[in-house]
Amino acid sequence: MSALALSVLLSLVSAVAYAGGAIVQERVAASSPGAQYAPLRRPAWWAAVSLNGLGGLLHVVALALGPLSLVQPLGALTIVFALPMAAFFVGRRAGATAWRGALMATVGLAGLLSLVGASDAQSLDTAQRVGAAGVTGGAVVALMIAGRAAHRHPAVRSILLATASGIAFGMSSVFTKTVAVDWSGGVSASDLPSLAVIGVLATAGMVLSQASYRGAGLAAPLATLTVVNPVVAAVVGITMFEETFRYGTTGTALALSCGVVAAGGLIMLTTERIAREGAEAQVRDGNGEQKQGQEQGGSAVAAVPSAATAAVNAAAPAAPLSAKVLVPSPVAPPVPDTAPVEETYDVRTPAGSDDTPLSYGPFYGGPFVPPPMVGRRRVRIRS
């Protein structure tokens, strides 16, 4: 395998590693809303750090094997790999607008970087390094303050923090190139401050990228970071390393056009996220109003009996209460008397029968014995 083919392969693998790290960072940010910058206690976050470190190492090796004009545009494929990987592994699908914006940003960035001409390896002197570090630190801090002020708009805050992260990563690449040029003639202790700046900027870029994913999804912050990082490096290369665009004036015009296309893609990603946030906010507000209406309706229904009771109490005159209040005790139901009521002798009626009752007449000189009389219920003789 030739060095050029190996450089292309390493660049693609580096883009996949960066995309995987970004997906893990976004999931960590979604599951850890309290940890904004560096959730150190989450093993997944350290896995994301490892993936980003692997991507950076492969990118440096690819730059050593291939030309900058080829390796840098391939690094912009991170956003293209990240969207299908997120849909496949974590089920986070991007809309059509997000896909169009990501592709526009990638194409614009690739065209811009492909027009940057190569130049001889140059380094920065001490004054330039101090100035670059100061300007970079001021820009990053200003963007962090602006992102904190825009905390009520997660999409805007995410873009600001992703821009700060891209600037930090881009300038760390600039200082890395400077140190690499210095070390081509031998390792020197004077590069220790530059190494410290590289460590600080790389750490700041990682922390700010983690914060940019909180509440903003994956596409918008990743596309911003992917575009800003090489653009900053290209701007520094043109202004400080005397690099120029290819094809003269025509190349400069094409580069500006590519920059407009990349910016349009970022705008599409941002507006798509803002529109989604607005829809989610409307759904939450609708649910809240419905719940509030139900609570108000329940209180109104509960107030009707109390109002009616108050009206009855106001209409009825207040009666004086006696000292004693008599409460009636429960009365047991009367027990039916199953015993027949005795009938008097006079009101008895003879029962209808075919047999003629026997009559006994009085004996002469004996006691009077009345004849037996048959009643309705029973026979009873009274003497």
Side-chain angles (χ1 to χ4, degrees):
M1 182 180 294
S2 63
L4 182 61
L6 183 59
S7 174
V8 172
L9 179 60
L10 292 177
S11 298
L12 295 177
V13 177
S14 173
V16 172
Y18 277 131
I23 293 172
V24 176
Q25 282 185 273
E26 192 273 334
R27 299 310 301 168
V28 171
S31 59
S32 303
Q36 180 176 1
Y37 289 100
L40 301 178
R41 297 182 179 180
R42 296 290 303 274
W45 187 73
W46 290 106
V49 173
S50 301
L51 287 173
N52 284 315
L54 176 62
L57 178 62
L58 294 176
H59 185 71
V60 171
V61 177
L63 284 174
L65 296 175
L68 178 64
S69 59
L70 177 64
V71 173
Q72 286 294 102
L74 290 176
L77 294 176
T78 300
I79 183 63
V80 179
F81 291 147
L83 294 181
M85 288 174 61
F88 181 77
F89 289 107
V90 299
R92 178 177 288 276
R93 301 184 181 276
T97 304
W99 274 103
R100 288 194 296 268
L103 291 176
M104 286 179 60
T106 303
V107 171
L109 176 63
L112 178 64
L113 294 177
S114 63
L115 293 172
V116 176
S119 61
D120 296 335
Q122 297 183 9
S123 180
L124 300 177
D125 56 22
T126 303
Q128 289 177 331
R129 298 182 189 188
V130 172
V135 172
T136 302
V140 170
V141 171
L143 289 171
M144 289 179 62
I145 295 174
R148 186 177 182 84
H151 65 279
R152 295 184 178 180
H153 304 282
V156 178
R157 180 191 61 82
S158 172
I159 297 300
L160 292 173
L161 294 179
T163 303
S165 176
I167 292 174
F169 278 130
M171 291 305 298
S172 67
S173 299
V174 171
F175 277 92
T176 300
K177 181 179 179 180
T178 301
V179 172
V181 172
D182 292 342
W183 283 4
S184 61
V187 180
S188 174
S190 60
D191 291 325
L192 291 178
S194 297
L195 293 175
V197 172
I198 292 172
V200 171
L201 291 178
T203 303
M206 181 65 188
V207 171
L208 290 172
S209 66
Q210 177 64 53
S212 67
Y213 292 113
R214 187 169 63 91
L218 177 67
L222 181 58
T224 303
L225 176 61
T226 305
V227 170
V228 172
N229 180 2
V231 166
V232 169
V235 169
V236 174
I238 292 173
T239 56
M240 304 182 71
F241 291 106
E242 298 181 358
E243 295 180 352
T244 58
F245 290 110
R246 297 177 181 178
Y247 312 117
T249 305
T250 304
T252 303
L254 291 175
L256 293 176
S257 302
C258 292
V260 171
V261 172
L266 291 179
I267 292 174
M268 290 181 64
L269 286 169
T270 306
T271 54
E272 188 268 344
R273 184 63 192 178
I274 293 175
R276 183 178 299 180
E277 290 176 359
E280 294 175 355
Q282 289 180 0
V283 171
R284 290 194 300 267
D285 294 342
N287 294 335
E289 291 178 358
Q290 183 179 3
K291 183 177 180 181
Q292 184 178 2
Q294 292 176 356
E295 294 178 353
Q296 292 178 354
S299 61
V301 171
V304 170
S306 60
T309 305
V312 171
N313 293 336
L321 298 177
S322 59
K324 294 182 179 181
V325 179
L326 300 179
V327 179
S329 61
V331 179
V335 179
D337 188 7
T338 57
V341 181
E342 294 184 356
E343 297 179 358
T344 60
Y345 182 79
D346 297 333
V347 298
R348 290 178 182 175
T349 58
S353 177
D354 296 336
D355 299 334
T356 303
L358 299 178
S359 303
Y360 296 92
F363 295 95
Y364 184 78
F368 175 78
V369 180
M373 302 296 293
V374 181
R376 294 180 180 178
R377 299 181 179 86
R378 62 182 177 175
V379 177
R380 184 173 181 182
I381 301 175
R382 289 185 181 182
S383 58

